[in-house]
């Protein structure tokens, strides 16, 4: 178990700092903010560990991800010339937390509540549902790949469009539709109709699922708005590039004397 913990502590920060050192030599025009976004490359990696992953691999990853998000926030504002971002300080950390409050809260909740509960308090029961919850990360590679494609200036290529569709599909299926499916699976196993399943579960279970589901719905709505704006912007750009030809003026009809 200690080996798994060491592996998690080494792998994610190690990959992050390796990418941070190597990429500037390949993409010389990138700023510090661009380079720090390589956290998206690391976020694409998935691991096959089950129970060990929850605490010994999940904790190092979540801790790393919070730190990487802060660095991305810091260098993004530093490149823009904000005077408060000349060096790291409590003010920059506070600004990051306020701007990314929901994401930070999500990571902290996973670290302090969901992961320990999953490991220590489920009494080796519910492996099926733990596996279902792991599926929520299936959308992460597509979200991260989309950011990388934008980073490389490939937002107009077909791959970015296909990936955008996969982001919406995987996010909806694995982070939203997953929850009613788990309730349906539970009801099917015990012969309970779907509408009565919540009444057969504890209040803490229902509240826990609701607390996990609520931010997923919020983020999915944001993704849909972003996708619509991107589609509308591309459509407007195409219309400007090939405007419709204006109709020819109708000639005057000469009056008879």
């Amino acid at each position: 178990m200690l080996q798994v913990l060491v592996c998690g502590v080494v792998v994610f920060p190690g990959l992050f700092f390796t990418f941070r050192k190597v990429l500037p030599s390949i993409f010389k025009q990138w700023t510090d903010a661009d380079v720090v976004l390589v956290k998206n490359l690391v976020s694409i990696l998935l691991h096959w560990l089950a129970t060990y992953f929850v605490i010994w691999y999940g904790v190092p990853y979540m801790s790393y991800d919070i730190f990487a998000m802060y660095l991305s926030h810091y260098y993004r504002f530093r490149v823009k010339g904000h005077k408060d971002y000349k060096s790291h300080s409590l003010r920059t950390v506070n600004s990051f937390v306020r701007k990314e409050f929901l994401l930070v809260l999500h990571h902290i909740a996973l670290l302090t509540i969901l992961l320990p509960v999953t490991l220590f308090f489920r009494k080796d029961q519910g492996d099926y549902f733990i596996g279902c919850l792991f599926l929520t990360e299936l959308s992460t590679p597509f979200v991260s790949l989309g950011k990388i494609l934008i980073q490389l200036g490939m937002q107009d290529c077909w791959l970015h469009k296909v990936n955008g569709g996969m982001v919406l599909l995987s996010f909806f299926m694995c982070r939203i539709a997953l929850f009613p499916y788990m309730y349906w699976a539970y009801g099917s196993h015990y012969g309970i109709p779907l509408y009565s399943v919540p009444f057969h579960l504890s209040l803490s279970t229902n509240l826990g699922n609701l607390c996990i589901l609520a931010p997923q719905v919020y983020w999915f709505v944001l993704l849909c708005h972003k996708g619509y704006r991107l589609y509308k912007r591309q459509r407007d750009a195409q219309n400007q590039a090939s405007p419709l030809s204006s109709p020819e003026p109708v000639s005057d009809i000469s009056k008879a004397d």
Side-chain angles (χ1 to χ4, degrees):
M1 189 173 293
L2 181 60
Q3 292 177 343
V4 179
L5 175 61
V6 172
C7 182
V9 171
V10 170
V11 166
F12 295 114
L15 286 173
F16 175 81
F17 287 109
T18 298
F19 286 139
R20 191 175 178 185
K21 291 294 183 182
V22 172
L23 290 180
S25 62
I26 301 175
F27 303 98
K28 299 183 183 300
Q29 74 277 14
W30 281 13
T31 65
D32 288 337
D34 295 327
V35 174
V36 169
L37 279 176
V38 297
K39 76 180 185 68
N40 295 310
L41 289 173
V42 182
S43 298
I44 287 180
L45 299 176
L46 300 177
H47 205 271
W48 59 89
L49 297 172
T51 301
Y52 281 171
F53 172 86
V54 174
I55 191 73
W56 301 111
Y57 220 72
V59 167
Y61 172 73
M62 290 297 172
S63 303
Y64 143 79
D65 206 35
I66 292 177
F67 176 69
M69 287 192 301
Y70 164 72
L71 286 183
S72 177
H73 167 86
Y74 173 80
Y75 283 109
R76 185 167 68 250
F77 281 87
R78 182 177 179 178
V79 167
K80 293 179 180 179
H82 288 258
K83 60 181 182 179
D84 292 337
Y85 287 80
K86 293 181 180 179
S87 62
H88 298 282
S89 64
L90 289 177
R91 180 173 295 182
T92 60
V93 174
N94 182 55
S95 175
F96 161 69
V97 172
R98 285 190 287 105
K99 186 173 180 60
E100 304 291 349
F101 177 76
L102 191 57
L103 273 175
V104 174
L105 180 63
H106 169 73
H107 282 68
I108 292 177
L110 288 177
L111 281 171
T112 59
I113 301 176
L114 182 61
L115 298 184
V117 166
T118 300
L119 186 64
F120 298 114
F121 298 104
R122 65 186 182 95
K123 299 178 182 179
D124 293 328
Q125 296 178 348
D127 289 339
Y128 175 80
F129 297 104
I130 297 301
C132 287
L133 289 176
F134 281 163
L135 286 176
T136 59
E137 292 300 318
L138 190 61
S139 62
T140 300
F142 299 108
V143 174
S144 300
L145 179 59
K147 295 180 180 179
I148 293 171
L149 292 175
I150 293 175
Q151 183 88 5
L152 297 175
M154 300 173 62
Q155 60 267 30
D156 294 326
C157 72
W158 65 270
L159 180 59
H160 185 263
K161 297 177 182 178
V162 172
N163 184 73
M166 290 303 300
V167 167
L168 294 177
L169 178 62
S170 61
F171 201 99
F172 177 79
M173 295 300 296
C174 299
R175 294 195 175 217
I176 296 178
L178 176 67
F179 287 88
Y181 168 77
M182 288 194 295
Y183 276 66
W184 173 84
Y186 182 92
S188 298
H189 181 74
Y190 289 104
I192 304 170
L194 177 61
Y195 64 84
S196 65
V197 169
F199 301 103
H200 287 76
L201 299 175
S202 64
L203 178 62
S204 60
T205 299
N206 289 316
L207 288 178
N209 286 328
L210 183 61
C211 290
I212 298 174
L213 177 61
Q216 313 306 325
V217 174
Y218 172 74
W219 287 323
F220 181 73
V221 171
L222 291 183
L223 285 174
C224 290
H225 286 172
K226 183 177 180 180
Y228 176 74
R229 289 197 304 269
L230 179 62
Y231 166 77
K232 187 177 180 180
R233 184 164 61 247
Q234 291 179 346
R235 185 184 62 181
D236 293 342
Q238 291 176 354
N239 291 338
Q240 292 178 359
S242 55
L244 297 175
S245 57
S246 57
E248 297 180 358
V250 180
S251 58
D252 292 333
I253 300 177
S254 51
K255 298 179 180 180
D257 292 337

